[in-house]
Amino acid sequence: MADTARPINRRTLLVAGGLATAVAVTSAPRPAHAAPRPRPLPGDPFTLGVASGDPDHDGFVLWTRLALNPLAEDGLGGMPDRTIPVRWEVASDERFRRIERRGTAAARPAAAHSVHVELNGLRPGREYWYRFRAGDHVSPAGRARTAPHPATFGPALAMGFVSCSQFEHGYFTAYRRLAEEHPDLILHLGDYQYEYKKGVYNSPGGNVRDHDGPETVTLANYRQRHAQYKSDRDLQAAHEAAPWLVVFDDHEIENNWADDIPENNSETPSHEAFRTRRAAAFQAYYENMPLRRRSLPKGPDMQLYRRIRWGRLAGFHMLDTRQFRDDQGCGDGYKDCPEAADPKRSITGDAQEKWLLDGFRRSRARWDVIGQQVFFAQRDNTAGPVKKTSMDAWDGYAASRDRITQGWLDAGVRNPVVLTGDVHAHWASDLKADYDDPNSRTVGSELVCTSITSNGDGRDSDPADHPFLKINPHLRFYNNQRGYVITTIGKEEMKADFTTLPTVRTPGAEASVKATFVIEDRVPGVNQTYLRPHASAKMSARPDQEIIRQTIENETQP
């Protein structure tokens, strides 16, 4: 197929306020008898920025949400109770001299004046720029990119992934530094926002800024909290830089929830109250993310797991490990728990597991990337025969992990790579056929990103001093500073730069690479090619049990 533009009359889908309608891709002249212009807005409504997401080879989703007062307690952003027409443009140059598509979307009060424009008919493997207009106000411009044609590899893919951005614990400088890397794609693997009211979840050094409003329980609460996060200019810069693939973890609703089961001591302890809360959280999540209409929630249910193809180079299997999981075993936490090995237990649910295994069988990608939330490899925190692992991670659902791993082996997946967030630290791991046998063959690779801010600055260290790496020899790297991972995915290798910041307590910190790992084509496992030296006192000066206790506390508190 020639790399040419599709016919200009190819349809473009608009999703606004939960409704999908066909709209024209070019603007018609305004007739002489047209109705008067809508009443002007009293200020700039684009305070929450713009975003794009879920790219494929001929399009992507465009997003914005209008808010004159982002922190309005009713969650409606200080907007008038009327539908606002929002014009949008997509150009093939950043000065918008070559407009490729344009149209008008309806920002409705019922959807908190959010707009989702679902585009297709664009050219594969191309950069595009987009912006919105409401009255005389013009949004910032964002950069998006279509995936390569399904029959081609395209150039190497620069992909960054992030997780865990607790607003109170620090400034979002890591988002800004990631934007400056000019990635083609960004994955957010969960905990985009946190539910707590001011002062409940404190970082070790004290919080540097505060949440507005109560703990998020109602739709108004979640809308307000998303707006507070989206008002941050560093976060906006990361959204403007590239299309995003997003999945939620627990804090987008409530800490450590599982299916219809809230956490202990929940603000919504009953089954009915939690499902109502879940519906509110899902609606606000959709309203504030660049998701396609297939992810539009239906009450307390949301279709989030999905597959994105990046030409022949990579297939991204984005998972949902919260909505369908069984409850955590043995009351959660790190436990030696017989329930963890129960073959009936699942972290994905049967339907999603079948979908994932079927995707492995159908895949022809060079790299199969599983974007998901919680630690996949085994992490035993106790030397000796007793095994204590995290019940909230795949360790608490070991049979589920075994089925997924066997699934990619049976399907002959060429390069399985698991990407993970959640634990507020950088990790790299070999994935094993049998974690209890150190000589078991390596069957895949896991890269884990630290948090953007959660748990504050942390500290630099020599990863070899961490006792987890001694107890679990398949774990290859650890660092407890804030930052992100930027990967370069090519035909022959995937290179991962684990990038860190020295502080998030003050804005503007510079980023640097702590370690680089390479995964070679058809050679499962991670290989370190660079490690930034650590000059201060060795971590081993602290007792192993103190390091283990602090590691667990960092990823499980509050």
Side-chain angles (χ1 to χ4, degrees), residues 11-25 60-63 83-88 103-108 114-120 132 286 291-293:
R11 66 191 180 99
T12 299
L13 287 178
L14 165 69
V15 178
L19 300 177
T21 56
V23 297
V25 297
F60 34 73
V61 179
L62 303 182
W63 172 92
T83 298
I84 308 295
V86 179
R87 291 169 288 162
W88 53 267
T104 301
R108 296 184 170 93
S114 63
V115 171
H116 296 73
V117 179
E118 206 168 310
L119 287 167
N120 58 15
F132 298 88
Y286 180 82
L291 288 164
R292 293 182 181 269
R293 58 196 172 99

Side-chain angles (χ1 to χ4, degrees), residues 385-420:
V386 176
K387 184 190 300 183
K388 290 186 179 179
T389 59
S390 172
M391 295 300 99
D392 192 54
W394 288 79
D395 274 331
Y397 307 82
S400 191
R401 176 175 60 201
D402 290 345
R403 290 191 296 269
I404 299 302
T405 304
Q406 192 61 47
W408 74 56
L409 291 172
D410 291 345
V413 168
R414 181 165 174 153
N415 293 300
V417 179
V418 177
L419 305 183
T420 301

Side-chain angles (χ1 to χ4, degrees), residues 265-498:
N265 304 311
S266 172
E267 295 274 332
T268 47
S270 73
H271 176 84
E272 181 180 356
F274 183 71
R275 283 182 65 81
T276 299
R277 180 180 188 173
R278 201 171 91 167
F282 284 178
Q283 181 173 338
Y285 187 79
Y286 180 82
E287 290 170 351
N288 286 279
M289 293 294 168
L291 288 164
R292 293 182 181 269
R293 58 196 172 99
R294 64 192 175 203
S295 293
L296 188 69
K298 297 178 180 177
D301 302 312
M302 186 175 187
Q303 179 63 50
L304 191 68
Y305 65 84
R306 62 204 188 280
R307 192 170 288 114
I308 287 84
R309 185 175 180 182
W310 198 268
R312 293 178 60 192
L313 186 65
F316 291 90
H317 310 268
M318 306 299 291
L319 301 191
D320 176 352
T321 62
R322 286 289 164 191
Q323 193 174 178
F324 311 105
R325 66 159 67 190
D326 291 297
D327 194 14
Q328 292 92 340
C330 299
D332 209 354
Y334 272 74
K335 302 283 177 61
D336 178 14
C337 178
E339 292 177 38
D342 185 345
K344 296 178 182 178
R345 288 169 47 77
S346 175
I347 196 171
T348 61
D350 292 342
Q352 184 178 189
E353 181 178 302
K354 181 179 183 300
W355 167 87
L356 181 57
L357 297 180
D358 185 62
F360 290 155
R361 289 189 290 269
R362 294 172 181 269
S363 176
R364 298 296 179 267
R366 179 66 55 95
W367 302 89
D368 277 88
V369 180
I370 303 167
Q372 57 93 51
Q373 295 80 356
V374 294
F375 219 105
F376 192 85
Q378 179 173 292
R379 285 187 308 157
D380 184 359
N381 73 0
T382 306
V386 176
K387 184 190 300 183
K388 290 186 179 179
T389 59
S390 172
M391 295 300 99
D392 192 54
W394 288 79
D395 274 331
Y397 307 82
S400 191
R401 176 175 60 201
D402 290 345
R403 290 191 296 269
I404 299 302
T405 304
Q406 192 61 47
W408 74 56
L409 291 172
D410 291 345
V413 168
R414 181 165 174 153
N415 293 300
V417 179
V418 177
L419 305 183
T420 301
D422 182 59
V423 291
H424 308 162
H426 281 321
W427 299 81
S429 175
D430 295 339
L431 300 179
K432 308 295 281 188
D434 181 357
Y435 292 99
D436 296 328
D437 177 5
N439 297 317
S440 175
R441 66 176 176 137
T442 298
V443 296
S445 312
E446 182 173 19
L447 307 173
V448 182
C449 65
T450 188
S451 63
I452 292 291
T453 54
S454 299
N455 274 103
D457 286 344
R459 63 166 71 186
D460 196 9
S461 64
D462 181 350
D465 293 333
H466 200 292
F468 269 32
L469 275 65
K470 304 167 190 173
I471 299 168
N472 306 273
H474 55 276
L475 301 180
R476 305 287 300 282
F477 174 67
Y478 168 86
N479 180 266
N480 183 32
Q481 292 174 294
R482 309 288 72 82
Y484 55 89
V485 180
I486 186 79
T487 65
T488 304
I489 306 175
K491 292 182 182 180
E492 304 303 322
E493 66 177 30
M494 176 187 293
K495 180 170 74 75
D497 289 328
F498 289 85

Side-chain angles (χ1 to χ4, degrees), residues 52-60 123-127 143-159 183-187 242-245 307-317 363-369 489-491:
S52 66
D54 277 22
D56 61 22
H57 71 281
D58 73 344
F60 34 73
R123 288 169 288 179
R126 299 298 180 93
E127 283 186 314
R143 169 183 171 264
R145 187 179 187 90
T146 52
H149 189 278
T152 68
F153 282 96
L157 169 63
M159 182 273 292
D184 302 313
L185 185 67
I186 294 173
L187 274 59
W244 283 40
L245 302 179
R307 192 170 288 114
I308 287 84
R309 185 175 180 182
W310 198 268
R312 293 178 60 192
L313 186 65
F316 291 90
H317 310 268
S363 176
R364 298 296 179 267
R366 179 66 55 95
W367 302 89
D368 277 88
V369 180
I489 306 175
K491 292 182 182 180

